[in-house]
Amino acid sequence: MFSVKISNHRGSRAAKAVFELNRAIIKPLSSETEDYYSYTSSLLELRISKNGTWGISFYYSGRFLTSTELGGMAHIIDSEGNTYIREQLTLSEGEYIYGLGEMPGPIVRNGGSYDIWNEDAGMRMGCSAKTTPFFISSRGYGVLVNTPELVSFEIGNEATTDISAEGT
């Protein structure tokens, strides 16, 4: 497992409930080629490009899983001064995304926009109090956005052909 941490307002609020992760120290093997830096842990490899466009790519047993490219990670300030963090991961052709908890709609989440925020939805239509900021891909990887805050997911819809997660 690789953990990529992106912070917004770091240290400005008291820590809220998040999922406890196994943070055992595992030292990945690092190496360097002409084109990228590589960090490998067991069969999982993370590559950071050195030449051309910046990006981070993830591989399992040498097979490409997903990547984030230039502009994928972003700090956004809207017209009202609110700040957000965004991350976009590439979707491969024929890749399907599942998860995000119990909510109305198809089990395949591609083509949708989803707001994940655990609150008491009551009897409102289209809402669920059992959301989970975790999804799994048909390519064999999963992503957990470890925050209790509002997170919006855009998954291969008209807004993006990738997976975009945005939150406070």
Side-chain angles (χ1 to χ4, degrees), residues 20-157:
E20 188 173 328
L21 302 176
N22 179 358
R23 299 274 185 193
I25 302 299
I26 298 172
K27 291 197 177 231
L29 300 173
S30 61
S31 61
E32 181 178 355
T33 71
E34 262 185 55
D35 298 323
Y36 58 83
Y37 299 102
S38 173
Y39 298 90
T40 305
S41 177
S42 186
L43 298 175
L44 189 60
E45 180 184 14
L46 178 147
R47 294 179 186 170
I48 301 171
S49 49
K50 292 169 52 177
N51 303 319
T53 305
W54 180 90
I56 300 174
S57 299
F58 298 88
Y59 293 81
Y60 181 78
S61 215
R63 184 175 61 86
F64 175 77
L65 297 174
T66 190
S67 65
T68 181
E69 298 168 350
L70 185 66
M73 288 183 199
H75 177 255
I76 300 166
I77 303 173
D78 69 15
S79 60
E80 297 176 10
N82 299 311
T83 61
Y84 304 90
I85 293 293
R86 184 197 65 218
E87 172 61 287
Q88 285 182 306
L89 298 174
T90 57
L91 275 177
S92 296
E93 188 174 332
E95 181 176 0
Y96 296 104
I97 301 298
Y98 307 92
L100 304 179
E102 180 185 293
M103 61 179 62
I107 191 167
V108 175
R109 301 300 186 192
N110 295 52
S113 298
Y114 306 94
D115 288 336
I116 305 298
W117 193 7
N118 284 314
E119 62 177 338
D120 186 2
M123 299 301 288
R124 294 180 296 191
M125 290 298 289
C127 293
S128 172
K130 299 177 185 145
T131 59
T132 306
F134 174 80
F135 66 82
I136 191 161
S137 163
S138 60
R139 293 188 57 78
Y141 68 90
V143 172
L144 170 67
V145 179
N146 197 15
T147 180
E149 301 294 331
L150 173 64
V151 179
S152 297
F153 290 88
E154 302 281 339
I155 302 175
N157 60 20

